[in-house]
Amino acid sequence: MPTTADIRNGLNIRYNGKVYTIIDFQHVKRGRGGAFVRVKLKDVKTGRILEETFDSGEEIEIVRLDFRKFQFLYKDGDDFVFMDLETFDQIHVPSDLVGDNALFMKENETVDILFDGDQILGIQLPTFVELEVVETEPGIKGDTVTNVMKPAKLETGAIINVPLFIEQGEKIKVDTRTGEYVERVK
C-alpha cells in the first residue's frame, strides 16, 4: 500500500470517501516527535480546496482517473447525452455533473469526461470554443479604442460581455475556464 512518501503534486487520492488531487505538499520534520506531511487537496468534483495533515508513513489510497473523449449529442430533459468516440456507446450524464460547462457546449462538441472506474466525476471542455453571437445591441462606429463591454447572448444561451464592435451573427472565441471573450473569429 502506498504511503505519504509516495505523495507528489498532481497525484489523485481517495480521502474520506472523496477523490482529491494533490496541489501542493510539504514534508515537515519537527525537532521533537515524528515528521508529518502537510497537503493541499482539491476536490475533483467540486473544485473545493482542503488542507490536511498526514503523519509520515501513513497509508494513502491512490486513485487512477481516466479521461475519455466523448461527443455531446443532445440534451434530454435534465440529462445530457454523450457518445463515446471509440465504442460509439451513448451515456446520459446528469446536469449537476455537467455544471457550468453546459453554458458553452453545443451539439457535436468533443469533450473529455473524467472517470473513476465506471463513475463519472466531471466534464472538461476544450479551453477555447467558437460560438456565434445571436443577440446583442448594435455597436457604434468608432467605439474600438476603449475597453467598454456590452452583454451578448451566444448560441448556447450563455450571456457574456463582449467589446462594443462585436455584432449579431459574428463568431467569437470564448475561454471556457473563465467564460470570457477572447477574440473575434475570422
Side-chain angles (χ1 to χ4, degrees), residues 70-83 90-107 111 113 120 123 125 156:
F70 280 78
Q71 182 179 37
F72 170 55
L73 298 177
Y74 58 92
K75 189 171 186 329
D76 182 26
D78 283 343
D79 291 348
F80 290 82
V81 180
F82 293 88
M83 178 181 67
Q90 292 185 10
I91 61 170
H92 290 257
V93 179
S95 58
D96 60 323
L97 284 177
V98 176
D100 291 340
N101 290 329
L103 295 173
F104 304 110
M105 276 190 331
K106 59 183 181 180
E107 292 181 356
V111 299
I113 298 184
I120 298 172
I123 292 178
L125 292 176
T156 59

Side-chain angles (χ1 to χ4, degrees), residues 131-136 153 166-172:
L131 298 170
E132 184 178 334
V133 175
V134 294
E135 188 179 311
T136 189
K153 186 175 183 178
I166 297 295
E167 298 290 334
Q168 188 170 323
E170 288 188 272
K171 285 198 176 278
I172 60 171

